[in-house]
Amino acid sequence: MDDALWEFVVGAGDHWGTTYGLPPVAGRVFGWLLVCDPPEQTADDLAEHLQASKGSISTATRILIGFQMIDRLRIRGERADRFRLKHGLWEQQLLDPGLDKTRALLTQGLDALADSPAPRSERLRELDLFYAWYAERSPQLVEEWREYRRTHLAAKQEQATGGRGV
Amino acid sequence: MDDALWEFVVGAGDHWGTTYGLPPVAGRVFGWLLVCDPPEQTADDLAEHLQASKGSISTATRILIGFQMIDRLRIRGERADRFRLKHGLWEQQLLDPGLDKTRALLTQGLDALADSPAPRSERLRELDLFYAWYAERSPQLVEEWREYRRTHLAAKQEQATGGRGV
DNA sequence: CTGAATGTTCAGTAATATCTGAAAATAATG
DNA sequence: CATTATTTTCAGATATTACTGAACATTCAG
């Protein structure tokens, strides 16, 4: 890949890597899977393009699968597995950005403050309410995004692919 | 603080620390500021409760201020600065979860793919559309949250504070 | 079943990040 | 202005994380 694309891959790896706490190579695998051709890459493809060892790639893919950011594919007639960005990743993220984990943490904090005067737990209570609101709201939000995409992306795809769709 | 609260502080520090790429002490400062009493703490308060050096606290507060997660306060009549969770933090996060930075990154990627066949940049274009949609949508979303809070948190505050409000 | 290709694990090493503590800088008080 | 409190900086020490590469395990084709 050329330098400009490499810069993007590293930058994207760093960006989403920071967000999810990924090691550098895992971030880059994710970044590369955003722009590679074809979108389904073998471990060897990844190791070659990202100049990383097989071991790192194995660890990175395991981590990314754990975060549900990529899928492992078994292609009929091919020996090697392939990896691909998880379909519906952004929608899923919109629907549930780790709500359960965060709310469990807040519950833990509220329990720890159970014997304290009420005002002390006000910050946590507001935050808990915020997450409760979001959990309630997000399914509808996903629908709104789908509708928006239907109208906006479809038009662009039309031009780009001659209407073949994706 | 007791063990249960300490566990929360560390867990919260780890949780938001992972999300923002914070060092451990910075995460804990943030965690502590979610539950401390009073909500405004001096550097000495922080160092003592979190058992960290003055130097670490100074670095941690600088980082958190940079992320706009906390504010530095100059209290009239007090020599030492105090730190406090930034007001409106969650709303601000809802309004703009790093949209500009992310979209700049996507533009960089799209530029790098400018000479490639259109299908290759489809993943980035959809993601860019996603962020465009969110940027358009989020101000209204903040209003919805405020309305929700008005109805739900107000009621709870009533019980907790006898209607004095906050 | 056998051999070859693929995938995983992990010990050892390298790289990075983080913290402490003390010195330097800054700010506030009288 | 001198003194003291507070804050920042940063060199050095420590701790943590991440990577490589080779051994081991697994899977697949014939």
Side-chain angles (χ1 to χ4, degrees):
Chain A
M1 79 185 85
D2 64 23
D3 286 354
L5 194 54
W6 175 254
E7 289 300 319
F8 169 76
V9 169
V10 172
D14 192 62
H15 181 73
W16 280 286
T18 297
T19 303
Y20 292 95
L22 305 174
V25 170
R28 286 169 199 179
V29 166
F30 184 74
W32 177 241
L33 289 175
L34 282 168
V35 293
C36 59
D37 180 41
E40 304 82 14
Q41 300 267 299
T42 65
D44 277 356
D45 291 340
L46 296 171
E48 183 188 337
H49 287 104
L50 302 176
Q51 313 222 65
S53 69
K54 272 200 320 171
S56 303
I57 299 298
S58 177
T59 301
T61 51
R62 179 164 41 76
I63 292 172
L64 290 168
I65 290 169
F67 277 106
Q68 311 220 67
M69 294 169 77
I70 71 175
D71 283 324
R72 178 192 300 271
L73 309 172
R74 300 311 194 60
I75 309 284
R76 182 191 304 267
E78 278 192 25
R79 193 88 181 250
D81 296 348
R82 286 181 178 268
F83 299 94
R84 188 180 60 193
L85 280 189
K86 192 166 187 71
H87 283 163
L89 179 57
W90 314 113
E91 281 183 16
Q92 181 55 40
Q93 202 53 36
L94 185 67
L95 181 68
D96 177 15
L99 297 173
D100 287 351
K101 184 159 165 273
T102 306
R103 298 191 73 190
L105 189 62
L106 293 172
T107 298
Q108 182 191 346
L110 288 166
D111 287 349
L113 292 181
D115 296 332
S116 303
R120 183 166 181 181
S121 55
E122 186 195 319
R123 283 154 283 173
L124 294 187
R125 278 180 284 115
E126 175 173 348
L127 190 49
D128 192 49
L129 189 73
F130 180 76
Y131 278 92
W133 166 74
Y134 191 82
E136 201 176 281
R137 189 68 182 78
S138 72
Q140 173 61 24
L141 207 56
V142 169
E143 283 307 319
E144 291 180 39
W145 154 242
R146 285 180 176 160
E147 176 58 24
Y148 185 92
R149 181 180 51 187
R150 207 157 23 239
T151 56
H152 290 72
L153 192 59
K156 291 191 180 175
Q157 289 304 321
E158 198 83 16
Q159 299 166 4
T161 67
R164 273 180 282 103
V166 189
Chain B
M1 79 186 86
D2 65 22
D3 286 354
L5 194 54
W6 175 253
E7 289 300 320
F8 168 77
V9 169
V10 171
D14 192 64
H15 181 71
W16 280 286
T18 298
T19 302
Y20 293 93
L22 305 175
V25 170
R28 287 169 199 179
V29 167
F30 184 75
W32 176 241
L33 288 176
L34 282 168
V35 294
C36 58
D37 181 41
E40 303 83 13
Q41 300 266 300
T42 65
D44 277 356
D45 291 340
L46 296 171
E48 182 187 336
H49 287 105
L50 302 175
Q51 313 224 62
S53 70
K54 278 196 320 172
S56 304
I57 298 298
S58 176
T59 302
T61 51
R62 179 165 40 77
I63 291 172
L64 291 168
I65 289 167
F67 277 108
Q68 312 219 69
M69 293 168 79
I70 70 174
D71 283 324
R72 177 192 301 270
L73 308 173
R74 300 309 193 65
I75 308 284
R76 179 193 303 267
E78 279 193 23
R79 193 96 179 239
D81 296 349
R82 287 181 178 268
F83 300 94
R84 186 181 60 194
L85 279 190
K86 194 169 185 67
H87 284 165
L89 179 58
W90 313 112
E91 281 185 16
Q92 181 55 39
Q93 202 52 37
L94 183 68
L95 181 68
D96 178 14
L99 296 172
D100 289 352
K101 186 160 167 267
T102 307
R103 297 191 72 190
L105 189 64
L106 292 171
T107 299
Q108 182 190 347
L110 287 165
D111 287 348
L113 292 180
D115 296 332
S116 302
R120 183 166 180 182
S121 55
E122 188 195 315
R123 281 153 286 172
L124 294 187
R125 279 182 283 114
E126 176 173 347
L127 191 50
D128 192 49
L129 190 72
F130 180 77
Y131 279 92
W133 166 74
Y134 190 82
E136 200 175 283
R137 188 69 183 78
S138 71
Q140 171 61 25
L141 208 54
V142 169
E143 283 307 320
E144 291 180 38
W145 153 241
R146 286 179 176 162
E147 176 58 25
Y148 185 91
R149 183 180 50 186
R150 206 155 23 238
T151 55
H152 291 72
L153 191 59
K156 291 188 180 175
Q157 288 305 324
E158 198 82 19
Q159 297 169 9
T161 68
R164 270 178 286 106
V166 187

